[in-house]
Every structure is written in C-alpha cells, then in structure tokens.
Amino acid sequence: MKTLKLITVIALIAVFGFTSCQSEESSEVGTNPNANSAASPTASNYKRAAMNDGSNDDFLDGNSCTELLFPLTAAINGQRIVLVTSQDLSLALNTIGKFNDDSDTVTFNFPINVRTSSYSTIVVSNQSDFDALQKDCERAEASGEDAVSCVTINFPMTILTYNIRLEQTGSVVIQSEKQLYVFITDLESDALFSVDYPVSAVLSNGSVLEINSDADFQNAISECTQTEDEEDEAADTATEVEAVLSGATFQVETFVTGGADTASDYADYIFEFTNDLELIAKNNVNIALVDISGTYEVSSETTAFLNINFGSNTAVSALNNDWIVNTYSNTLVTFTSKTDASVTLAFQKI
C-alpha cells in the first residue's frame, strides 16, 4: 500500500512538473495522469474481458473456465457420442434435451484436451483432474477473477505505455483478445499503461457501446455482469419450474382476465404437461370430447417464462400466452402475462 501511495505522489509531481514543457503533440499522449498499474482495477477489467471464454460448452462440461477441444468422446445419458468438431456439440445438446424430466449424465472418455482461461492447452487425464478444474473455476467466479464474456471488445485498440514519471515510452496496437490478455499479464510491476479511447465494444444483447474512459468500461462490466447474474438466477428458476410441471397434471386455479376470474370456464379440464413438451387438455366431465393437444416451453431471459400454445379456436386457446413466472412450489405455479400485467394465471397440481 505504501508503495502504491509513493507511486501516486511521484505521478502527480511528474504531471505538474512536465505538463508545462510538453509539445502540442505530447500534451495529448505524452503525459497521462490516469495511467494504470498492473494491479489496477482497469488492468483486471481488461484481463477478464480478454480471457478465453469457455462458456459455450457449459451444458456439457459445466465449466465456464475451460473450453473443450476436439475430437473427444463422451457418454451422454448412456449414449456414446463422438464429437469431431465444435459443430457436433448440437448432437450432444439434442441428446440432453430429448426429455425434460430426466437426470442428465455426461461421462468423458479421458484423456481429453481443454483450453483454459489463460489460453493454455492442458491434458485432463481423469475425472479427478476434471473435478479439480471445476473447483478452481468456482473459486475464480467467487472472487471475481473469471472471464467476462458479456463485453466483447472490437479490435484493434491501442494501449499507451508509460514509465514511473508518466512519460510515454511507447504504444501497442492490440489485435485480439489473446494479445490483450498477454499484454496485461506480462506487465511489470513498475510499468504503467493507459487505453487510447474511445474503444468500441459489443454487449451480450448485441448492442454496440462506445467506451470513452476506464470508468465507462468499469460501468459496462458492472452492468452486464449484474444482468448475467439475473439471467443465471432466471435460468435456475426456469429449470425448477419445468421440473415441477413436467410429467404432472394440473387444473386452472385462477385465471384473471378483464378484471374477472374465469377459472370456472376450465373447471372440466385437466392439463397434462408431458416430458416431451406436449400440453394436453382433457375434459374429465365429457369424456367423448377429443383431447386438445398443445405445446409448452419454459425459458428464461432475466426472468423465467412459460409459453403455452394450444393453437387457435379451441376451448382452451385463451390460455395461449407468454407467461412470466411469479411464484412456484411443488403444487402451485402462478403467472402474469408478459404483455398485460392485469392478466394472471395459476395452475394447481392435482
């Protein structure tokens, strides 16, 4: 801490001592009072944004800090699948998503190769080594040292380098995430740098953001990681709600629309949510009536949704909607219409 304070004092003295004699050109880039050290929050932010992102195959390895390398072989729910390229991940995803009420298991045929957040390629020899990597990733996530994948920098970008007196010593044009990661991790303890703003970046929602300062970049990361946390929580909720619904039968407990509870209109029906995403409405009073077949899907963004689709012109078509999950238990799930908060629905398990 004392060393950092000393650097700060020297830096401020250098700024006032050298500003008066800078040329017009060097006054723009030659002296920078906002230069960062290797231990600065800005260095950490750019390092995390530049890390290798291993989250695309999380459904298979459950580890966002490692990227699976191909070819590899895995047993998924007991079915042997050979993955030759990353495009074959869809085969694994289809196998996992075949049913929504089973407990998915993935067993790799070791050894396998993975690429870490630091771009190192390592051989994972057995399940024990694989589990150890997972624990390392959990620790990195808990301490805020994992990769930030919700802000993608548009390259090239330029970084200016300085000595301890804040005199510019050079500049580096960065062309890729890996090059940026190496630059940050290779910084000496007494080296200083600043980013030549503006920098363009793409957020996970597809929007393009112009970053004009270290503070802007910090805010972008804070906001998008908060959104990611909300998305993760919503995804967990969706998984749990799907588990409640799948393979079970419900009745309409309440259905409020136009200010009136119309649940009595569906008193004769039970609703079966199958494990392959079919939703079947059966009339238990008049068994001569043909069952009404529809579909359902539980999904999530920053909140969890239930989509119901019985098609049009059926006795239960009014239930068609994108429903926001409000509350849920093992026996009762309540919803609000995504488009009209005055419309609500509750399913009670039979």
Side-chain angles (χ1 to χ4, degrees), residues 146-348:
D146 57 322
V148 171
S149 58
C150 53
V151 178
T152 302
I153 298 169
N154 286 326
F155 295 97
M157 64 179 289
T158 301
I159 293 181
L160 310 177
T161 57
Y162 298 84
N163 59 25
I164 199 170
R165 294 185 299 277
L166 290 180
E167 297 169 330
Q168 186 181 339
T169 58
S171 63
V172 181
V173 178
I174 304 294
Q175 300 284 358
S176 66
E177 288 183 341
K178 183 176 181 179
Q179 186 183 354
L180 177 58
Y181 179 85
V182 171
F183 174 86
I184 296 295
T185 54
D186 283 353
L187 279 171
E188 300 291 339
S189 59
D190 59 350
L192 300 173
F193 76 96
S194 68
V195 176
D196 188 13
Y197 292 105
V199 170
S200 173
V202 180
L203 303 181
S204 54
N205 62 8
S207 61
V208 178
L209 178 68
E210 182 176 277
I211 301 168
N212 291 294
S213 66
D214 293 345
D216 279 356
F217 192 53
Q218 175 65 69
N219 290 337
I221 287 179
S222 297
E223 290 174 7
C224 78
T225 52
Q226 180 179 347
T227 299
E228 281 191 329
D229 290 342
E230 292 172 357
E231 290 173 342
D232 289 343
E233 184 176 350
D236 290 341
T237 296
T239 299
E240 292 167 4
V241 168
E242 187 173 68
V244 170
L245 296 175
S246 181
T249 302
F250 291 78
Q251 63 186 10
V252 174
E253 179 72 9
T254 62
F255 180 32
V256 177
T257 179
D261 187 351
T262 61
S264 60
D265 293 346
Y266 308 93
D268 296 344
Y269 285 91
I270 61 171
F271 296 85
E272 180 185 350
F273 291 80
T274 72
N275 67 355
D276 56 356
L277 302 179
E278 268 198 282
L279 179 54
I280 302 171
K282 299 179 179 181
N283 192 305
N284 274 356
V285 175
N286 186 352
I287 59 176
L289 292 177
V290 176
D291 293 346
I292 303 172
S293 295
T295 61
Y296 75 98
E297 180 182 9
V298 185
S299 61
S300 65
E301 294 171 2
T302 54
T303 189
F305 302 99
L306 170 68
N307 172 267
I308 292 177
N309 186 3
F310 278 110
S312 56
N313 300 321
T314 74
V316 293
S317 291
L319 299 178
N320 293 351
N321 211 325
D322 284 320
W323 298 98
I324 299 172
V325 177
N326 285 336
T327 63
Y328 64 96
S329 67
N330 287 331
T331 57
L332 181 69
V333 189
T334 68
F335 308 92
T336 298
S337 168
K338 185 178 180 180
T339 56
D340 186 349
S342 68
V343 179
T344 62
L345 171 69
F347 277 123
Q348 176 75 47

